């Protein structure tokens, strides 16, 4: 029996595969209800949701959104609001990396997309999570985890300085936001995975 006010509900972005899928499965084992966000592969997201239910999640649904667009972020959180539990966790995992290239070979379109998906999207998702979790907004607190990267240490020269810079922005954002909402019951942290055996690599 899962009581709605005690069961944690976590939204994991980019959870159809890789680190996001592994994170969702781990949360399921710990009794979290889940909203599994995906951008393109509904079939993979559905498989992760089924895994989560089998592993003990009391609730697991999938939700599609292109997080680079604010309207789609809002629609994603509208789906979160329909869940029978109250949002208490956000894992900002969704992110992209592009082909290895030097900066002088990168298009403006690539740079814009990198920043939209890897910086703007997590900020929009965090904003919506805070509106639901912060005691200032009548929430009961919660946790935001931003997925950064070990690429911030080297800057990834001649590989993808755009990606590394986007994750550097996430690190700074995490520090500031953590202080901004610390007194409102919301904990904000970042993890910096190294090279991980996922589809990206």
């Amino acid at each position: 029996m899962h009581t709605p006010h005690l069961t944690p509900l976590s939204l994991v972005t980019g959870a159809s595969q890789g680190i996001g899928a592994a994170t969702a499965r781990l949360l399921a084992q710990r009794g979290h209800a889940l909203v599994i966000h995906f951008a393109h592969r509904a079939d993979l997201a559905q498989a992760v949701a089924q895994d989560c239910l089998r592993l003990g999640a009391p609730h697991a649904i999938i939700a599609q959104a292109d997080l680079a667009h604010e309207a789609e972020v809002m629609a994603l959180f509208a789906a979160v609001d329909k869940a029978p539990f109250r949002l208490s966790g956000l894992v900002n995992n969704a992110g992209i990396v592009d082909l290895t290239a030097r900066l002088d070979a990168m298009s403006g379109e690539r740079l814009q997309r990198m920043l939209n998906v890897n910086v703007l999207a997590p900020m929009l998702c965090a904003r919506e999570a805070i509106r639901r979790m912060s005691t200032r907004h009548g929430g009961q607190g919660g946790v935001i985890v931003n997925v950064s990267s070990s690429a911030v240490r080297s800057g990834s020269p001649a590989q993808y300085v755009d990606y590394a810079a986007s994750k550097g922005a996430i690190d700074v954002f995490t520090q500031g936001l953590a202080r901004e909402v610390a007194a409102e019951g919301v904990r904000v942290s970042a993890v910096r995975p190294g090279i991980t055996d996922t589809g990206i690599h």
Side-chain angles (χ1 to χ4, degrees):
M1 176 68 188
H2 294 275
T3 45
H5 64 289
L6 293 178
T7 299
L9 170 66
S10 293
L11 164 63
V12 184
T13 67
S16 62
Q17 49 197 323
I19 292 171
T23 301
R25 291 186 185 106
L26 184 63
L27 289 169
Q29 288 173 346
R30 297 185 178 178
H32 286 238
L34 287 151
V35 177
I36 310 249
H37 159 264
F38 69 99
H40 309 292
R41 295 290 301 274
D43 55 330
L44 296 180
Q46 196 58 59
V48 173
Q50 293 304 323
D51 284 350
C52 289
L53 291 169
R54 199 168 58 246
L55 290 166
H59 177 84
I61 59 162
I62 67 170
Q64 192 275 336
D66 178 346
L67 300 179
H69 299 285
E70 185 176 14
E72 296 201 29
V73 171
M74 301 303 282
L76 171 62
F77 277 84
V80 168
D81 292 339
K82 290 193 182 95
F85 308 102
R86 200 167 184 166
L87 184 69
S88 59
L90 165 66
V91 181
N92 265 323
N93 167 75
I96 56 168
V97 70
D98 211 312
L99 298 174
T100 295
R102 283 169 44 108
L103 179 65
D104 49 17
M106 292 179 190
S107 68
E109 185 183 14
R110 165 178 166 150
L111 295 172
Q112 189 70 62
R113 182 167 170 265
M114 186 70 66
L115 293 174
N116 282 348
V117 175
N118 289 6
V119 183
L120 178 64
M123 293 177 88
L124 289 171
C125 287
R127 180 192 74 189
E128 291 308 306
I130 287 163
R131 287 174 174 175
R132 289 156 175 80
M133 298 191 301
S134 165
T135 54
R136 180 177 181 158
H137 295 286
Q140 296 173 340
V143 179
I144 296 172
V145 178
N146 296 321
V147 178
S148 177
S149 169
S150 59
V152 299
R153 288 198 283 271
S154 68
S156 296
Q159 287 183 299
Y160 27 70
V161 294
D162 54 344
Y163 172 81
S166 75
K167 292 302 186 178
I170 288 299
D171 283 5
V172 176
F173 171 58
T174 300
Q175 289 179 32
L177 187 62
R179 293 184 176 100
E180 189 166 288
V181 296
E184 298 166 24
V186 181
R187 186 160 50 85
V188 186
S189 60
V191 292
R192 278 189 193 159
I195 290 182
T196 308
D197 187 9
T198 68
I200 278 186
H201 290 293

